[in-house]
Every structure is written in C-alpha cells, then in structure tokens.
Amino acid sequence: MAEDPARVIDSAFIASLSTLTPAPRKGPDELLTPDGALTCAEALALFDDQAASRHLDLAARALRARGEGFYTIGSSGHEGNAAVAAALRPTDPALLHYRSGAFYLARARQVPGSTPILDVLLGLTGSRDEPIAGGRHKVFGNARLSISPQTSTIASHLPRAVGLAFAIERRKKLGLPSETPSDAIVVCSFGDASINHSTATGALNAAAHTSYAGLRMPVLFVCEDNGIGISVPTPEGWVSEAYRDRPGLRIFRADEIAAVGAHRVASEAARYVRERRRPALLHLSTVRLMGHAGSDLELSYRTASQIRDTEAQDPLRRTAAILTSCGAATPEALRERYESIRREVAALAEQAIARPRLSSAEEIMAPLAPRSPARIAIEATRAPEASARQRFWGEALPEREGPGTLAQSINRALGELLVKYPEMLVFGEDVGRKGGVYGVTRGLAKRASAARVFDTLLDEQTILGLALGAAQHGLLPFPEIQYLAYLHNAEDQLRGEAASLRYFSQGQYENPLVVRIAGLAYQKGFGGHFHNDNSLAVLRDIPGLILAVPSRGDDAAAMLATCAAAAKIDGAVSAFVEPIALYHTRDLYEAGDALWCAPHRPVPEHVPLGSPRVYGEGRELLIVSFGNGVPMSLRVARRLEKDGIAARVLDLRWLAPLPITELLAHASACGRVLIADETRRSGGVSEGVVTALVDGGFRGPIARVTSEDTFIPLGDAANLVLMSERAIEERARALLAAL
Ligand SMILES: Cc1ncc(C[n+]2csc(CCOP(=O)(O)OP(=O)(O)O)c2C)c(N)n1
Ligand SMILES: [Mg+2]
C-alpha cells in the first residue's frame, strides 16, 4: 500500500531542515536579501503563514479520518501565494482559488484581531461559527479581510472580479462615495487548468478589451500554475505563452515557488495594476503536493518518480532554505516554529469540533433570500426627486405623453429608476446608442449619460459578471440579455454565482441586481427558436431568485420598481423576462381599441412580489396564465362570456415566488382551473401551478394547455408547436362540458 502522502511531505520537510547550514544571523529588521523588500521578520512571518497553511492541510485529513471534517482539497505546494497577500492591502477585494490557505493567513496577519487558523478549521468541520459561509460550504472568505467567498465552479469568479474592478472605477467616475480606497485593486486567483475554461478566457479577454478600449480595469489575475488539473497535465509553458502578447493585459512571471522568493514579482505586478489601473496576469509557479484532494490516488495517473520530483520542490523546504542561507533563522528555530504551529492547529481543531453545526432547515436557508414586503412597498413607491426628474426628462415628461406600449412603459420606468437611483446602471449588447434591438432603452444613454447606460462587449458571461461585481460594489445594475436563448451560455453567473452569494456569505456579501431578458415566442414566425425561446425552466428553480414576467406596460413599470426596491432592501436578485411579442402590442380585442397600452405614472402603484392580477369576477372557470397567454386568455374569456360562461383570468405576473395563496382562493371560487402556459409541457410553468393547486388542497378539475416539447421552427410552422388561443378556448369549453 502507498504511503500516506501527508506523512511523507511532513517528514520530508522536517528531514530537510537537518541538511541546511545556517549563515551568520541577521537582525529582524535587516533586509532578507539586498535586492528584496522583505525584512527578516517579514520573511519569517511568511514562513509561519506557509507552515500554518500546511498544518491546516494535515489537520483537514486527520479530521476527515475521524469523521469530523468534510473537505480535504488543500493548499500544499501553493503556499507561495502568501507572497501575493503580502504584496497587497487587506482592503483590496480578493476572490480566491481553493488553494489559498497561505494567502488567507498572510492577509489576516494584516488585520488585527483576526483568527485565521480557527476560521479555516471551522470551515473544515462545517461549523455554524465559520466566519463566511457558516457551515454551508468550505471556502476562503471573510468580510473583514475583503475576501468574498467563491463557489466550487472553477473560473466562475473571474467575470465578477472584472465587474468589481470596473465598479471601483465607475463609482469614482459617477462621484459616488465608497468605503473601498480609491486606489484599491481586485485580486483574483485560479489554477492553470482553470485558465482554459471559457469563463476564464472570457473574463481575461473582457479585462484586456476594456483596458485596450481606454477604460481603467484594476484587476490582478493570479494563475497558480502547478502544471496539472486533477489528473490532466498542462503543456509546459502554456500559460505564459498563451498570454505573452495579449494587448491590454500585462503578464508577470514568478518562477520562485516560495513566498519569500515570489514576493518581489508579486509586488511589481501589484504596483503595476495599482498605479496604471490596468489589468495584469501574475503567473505564479506552484506545485501540487498530496494529490488533488484527500481521496485522490495520484499513483493512478503519475509515476512514483514524478511524484517524488514534485515533493522535492516543496515551497516550505525552499522557504526554509532561503531563510537559513540568508541568516534569518537557524534550522532549529524553524523546526521549533513549525512544531509550535502544529500544536496550535491541533488545539484549535479540538475547539472547532466542539463548535455547533447547522441544525435546522430554517437556519440553513435564512440568508438565502430574505423578504421584507412592507419595507419594499415603501421603497417601491418612494417618488424620485422632482427636480432630478425635470433634469432627466426635460420637456418630455412621459406622463404628458399618451398611453404607452409594454416597450414604452419599460423604457419610461427605467428612466424613472435611473432618476431615483443615481447608482443604477443599464448595460448590455446594443442597449446604449442604439437603444436596444426593440428600442426598449432608446434615449436613456443620452439622458442618463453614457457612463450609466452603455454597450458591453458581446459576451453574456461578461455582462452578468459585470453586473455581479458592480452590485457587490454597491451599484444597482440592470443588465440586459438580448434574447432568452442567450442567457443559457452564461446561466451559471446567475445560478451558481449571483443567487448563491448571500447564502455562502450569510448575507455579508450581496449582489442585488435586476437582469432584464427579452424572451418568449410569438414573433409571427420570425427568427426561429433562438428568438422565440419559450423555456423558463432554468430560471424557475434557482433558489431565492425572483422571476417576473409582466404582460402589460403598467404592470411592467410597477414590477420593475418592486424588483429595484427588493434589490435595495433585501439584496434580491431578479430576472425580469419581457415578452418580445407584446413589446409593441397596442390592442387587445380589436384593432384600434388600445386596451394593451397604459398611461405613465411617475410613481407606479405598488405590485407586491408574488401578487397576481385578476381580470373579471366569473365563477365558472379560472384561467391561469402569464406573459403572452394573458391577452390570449382574455380574448377567450370574452368569447366564453358571449356564450354565457363566466370566466376569470389570473395573470400570475411572478413565476417565482408563485402567488399561491391567491391562486388557491380564485381556484376555489371558480371550482375549475385551466392553465394557459406558453412554455413547454415538460418542465414548464404549468407543472408548478398544478402542483401548487394539488398541494394546496384544490380538488376541482384542472386542465392545461401548453406549447410542445420542442425547439421552435421558422415561419407559420411555429404556430404548430406553440400554445394557441384556439387551443385555450377548446380546452376551456371541454373542461366546462365535462361537468
Ligand atoms: C466548471 C467546473 N468543471 C469541473 C470542475 C471539477 N474540477 C475541480 S478542480 C478541477 C481541476 C482544476 O485544476 P487547476 O485549475 O489547475 O487547479 P488546481 O487544482 O491544479 O490548483 C476540476 C476539473 C469544477 N470544479 N468546475
Ligand atoms: Mg493546476
């Protein structure tokens, strides 16, 4: 049986100390090396941080073996990243790789009162007292240290890092005060395999592109290159070569594996980003010791000699050798430090085990998506300042114009919100000068300034990442995704990142935002599937996400105000899906009736989260719908009425949270329910509605009309697979005839 790699590394380090010959001793305030910036005392502190990180890895495995620890991906071999922390300030926002133990310890050293060793142990043992995730995940994070938590999805934090760097500069440009120092830079680390992920290449490209375009982008990317990703080697030299000549992105290479050696290049890189406000990539040499995680059998994909060669490059050994040869410490002193840190970690581990763990579903979910409806109501109906409105709209006050379509109402509502929230930004593909593909943001850039309403590059991950970073930095982003179909290649930014941040930080970090998405079908055959995507399934099950689908202009305006208020009050993340086919619809029953237009109200009537709109008081049939289905259902109800059948129509308006109480009340008042759902039969909204009715005890007949489980074709063929008004009517009549 193979020897335990943790024990091998531990004993090899101790044995290596006895091979070192001490040089004449230097004082703590003397420079370690003539060309470096570190004093002997600082270098020894870096040794301590690296040693503590190592002992935490050893403790993680020991805790796992006892059934008290739940995570064994370690930082061994990556301890050089302590140099990056030492080269930065504790107010520089950090988004870290999962091998950042030494960075965490070195940064904590810069903030008095920190307890980093205990923090990490509380994370390993899943304790409720862990400072960032409180037992919900093992991450490096701490609000006091400006380290926001990361998910396990490699590279998914890079777009947010770009957004944060952008936001630091944009806040300054807009004259908005900030607690973050104005010369702060963002640091974002990741592995060598991760740099190939499209999320990483997209974010690196976005940072370079932004800088190339002349905007400031103070982000330091750190690629911790250990030459492998789980079992797959990275070709030698790939990272440096791939990023050598990238316009807009400067690369720095730190070949030294020990923190005391890497510190000089790390400082140079940090200084470049801080002074020039340009992005840089620090390529940091590391090795991976003890396998990918505790469960990883390295011998299944690496030879014993490869493993031994890597072990010989242990950065702790290298650090000890430098410290000894420069006269900062004797080998005996280093051994004593190493053993005393071992004892400290062991004692704190016992404390961590004794700390409480999460004990109820309510406790676990509490930070996910708090809702304060009373405060949201007040905030949503707070009027924007009259003089600011006047400045924004000038002579063209929208209430003086006639009733508007859905597109016009959204445009005006966005304008009002831009007046009300000076920190609000609207951005996406073509939303600036052009004013959006459908004119929904037309004129806003001119009125609000190009600093607040602007075009982004063509990458949905970047658009959402920009929003996450901007929101995390106190701005109120309203990103736009041009078509629902194009959300999917960036969806994790919403699901894994935006929606989970409060949860993994117990509300210490938030990214309140409203992402507007043009979507759904009925473009009269134009565009095929990708302009008619009618699936909302991926949005409906994201924990805590608010999903709004307005069908008419006045609702849209009010719901946007509610989403903005929920963002401000509760840090909420909302997806606001706008039915494209209704953007320019004016009439409901017949040409010229203008019943689908709405007058503008500077302060809309409040539409609470999860509250539906009900049309009519019929008691024979309840038609439940949303989006395009609402005007269809209203026309069907009108035809039924002519035949003496009294139906009422309920527009859900909110698909998450669903308006369950009202749904049940109206269902029982009518006795029968027909769901007119334009999304698909499988995974569509009607599944949730039926379930809510059944769960809520409704025992009357339920029927549903949906679109087919297919992609949508071009031309009139689209009508063969989409829910039709005729189908709603036929199903309604059949449901009524059955009784
Ligand atoms: C998006 C995504 N795909 C796959 C994984 C599984 N996974 C976790 S770590 C890893 C390898 C990462 O290697 P590298 O970036 O070099 O970091 P290292 O572990 O070597 O420090 C993989 C494939 C993941 N976490 N996220
Ligand atoms: Mg790697």
Side-chain angles (χ1 to χ4, degrees), residues 499 523 598:
Q523 262 67 262

Side-chain angles (χ1 to χ4, degrees), residues 392-421:
F392 186 88
W393 295 112
E395 286 309 300
L397 280 171
E399 60 270 34
R400 293 199 190 134
E401 300 185 1
T405 58
L406 177 66
Q408 286 167 325
S409 298
I410 294 172
N411 176 275
R412 293 165 181 175
L414 289 172
E416 298 292 0
L417 292 170
L418 281 161
V419 176
K420 183 166 162 180
Y421 299 109

Side-chain angles (χ1 to χ4, degrees), residues 2-3 12 22 114 133 162 172 191 201 241 305 320 338 382 386 404 489 566 603 669:
E3 240 187 305
S114 300
V162 172
K172 283 194 266 178
T201 57
E241 284 302 308
S305 89
Y338 185 75
R382 182 170 64 80
N489 64 51
V603 180

Side-chain angles (χ1 to χ4, degrees), residues 144-378:
R144 291 179 68 240
L145 306 179
S146 311
I147 303 174
S148 48
Q150 300 317 315
T151 71
S152 286
T153 311
I154 53 106
S156 67
H157 55 310
L158 274 73
R160 183 195 292 277
V162 172
L164 266 172
F166 171 85
I168 287 173
E169 294 300 321
R170 192 48 51 107
R171 274 198 87 96
K172 283 194 266 178
K173 189 166 184 165
L174 297 176
L176 299 167
S178 170
E179 282 169 21
T180 305
S182 65
D183 62 348
I185 70 172
V186 176
V187 62
C188 175
S189 54
F190 47 89
D192 52 291
S194 304
I195 204 170
N196 302 298
H197 199 280
S198 64
T199 315
T201 57
L204 287 157
N205 179 69
H209 179 282
T210 309
S211 180
Y212 184 80
L215 295 177
R216 295 170 164 210
M217 179 48 61
V219 56
L220 176 62
F221 296 106
V222 182
C223 180
E224 302 192 9
D225 189 352
N226 58 21
I228 198 162
I230 304 189
S231 64
V232 182
T234 293
E236 183 72 36
W238 167 246
V239 174
S240 280
E241 284 302 308
Y243 284 92
R244 197 161 50 126
D245 291 321
R246 281 300 292 267
L249 183 71
R250 174 93 180 262
I251 188 161
F252 293 82
R253 195 181 155 87
D255 290 324
E256 255 294 358
I257 205 158
V260 288
H263 181 262
R264 190 181 52 75
V265 181
S267 302
E268 234 176 79
R271 197 175 322 114
Y272 170 82
V273 177
R274 196 177 307 282
E275 288 172 3
R276 305 284 295 276
R277 317 305 287 166
R278 285 174 181 279
L281 171 64
L282 172 63
H283 183 194
L284 188 68
S285 288
T286 64
V287 287
R288 194 191 70 191
L289 303 176
M290 299 159 36
H292 177 72
S295 53
D296 178 27
L297 286 177
E298 263 193 305
L299 271 173
S300 65
Y301 56 88
R302 288 175 111 182
T303 65
S305 89
Q306 280 173 326
I307 295 172
R308 266 198 311 276
D309 286 351
T310 307
E311 285 167 358
Q313 297 176 57
D314 179 351
L316 222 59
R317 285 204 228 173
R318 176 83 188 125
T319 303
I322 296 173
L323 292 176
T324 318
S325 66
C326 294
T330 60
E332 297 73 41
L334 291 179
R335 170 145 195 189
E336 180 39 44
R337 286 179 104 100
Y338 185 75
E339 291 305 335
S340 109
I341 293 168
R342 186 200 303 277
R343 289 190 294 275
E344 185 184 355
V345 170
L348 289 171
E350 296 310 314
Q351 285 185 27
I353 291 169
R355 292 287 187 91
R357 292 184 178 151
L358 291 163
S359 59
S360 71
E362 291 78 41
E363 184 188 11
I364 292 165
M365 291 167 67
L368 185 58
R371 302 274 188 246
S372 318
R375 291 178 61 211
I376 290 174
I378 294 168

Side-chain angles (χ1 to χ4, degrees), residues 508-594:
Q508 296 170 86
Y509 284 97
E510 301 182 328
N511 40 211
L513 59 89
V514 183
V515 52
R516 295 179 37 251
I517 307 165
L520 302 174
Y522 304 105
Q523 262 67 262
K524 299 196 168 62
F526 164 78
H529 176 74
F530 297 91
H531 296 78
N532 288 272
D533 189 346
N534 63 344
S535 172
L536 298 170
V538 289
L539 292 167
R540 281 188 55 235
D541 81 330
I542 297 179
L545 184 86
I546 293 168
L547 175 54
V549 186
S551 66
R552 47 188 272 172
D554 45 1
D555 280 358
M559 291 162 76
L560 273 174
T562 301
C563 290
K568 294 307 288 182
I569 301 291
D570 290 330
V573 177
S574 299
F576 195 86
V577 176
E578 301 168 3
I580 299 169
L582 296 177
Y583 269 152
H584 304 306
T585 299
R586 307 191 71 82
D587 305 326
L588 175 60
Y589 297 120
E590 55 233 18
D593 68 13

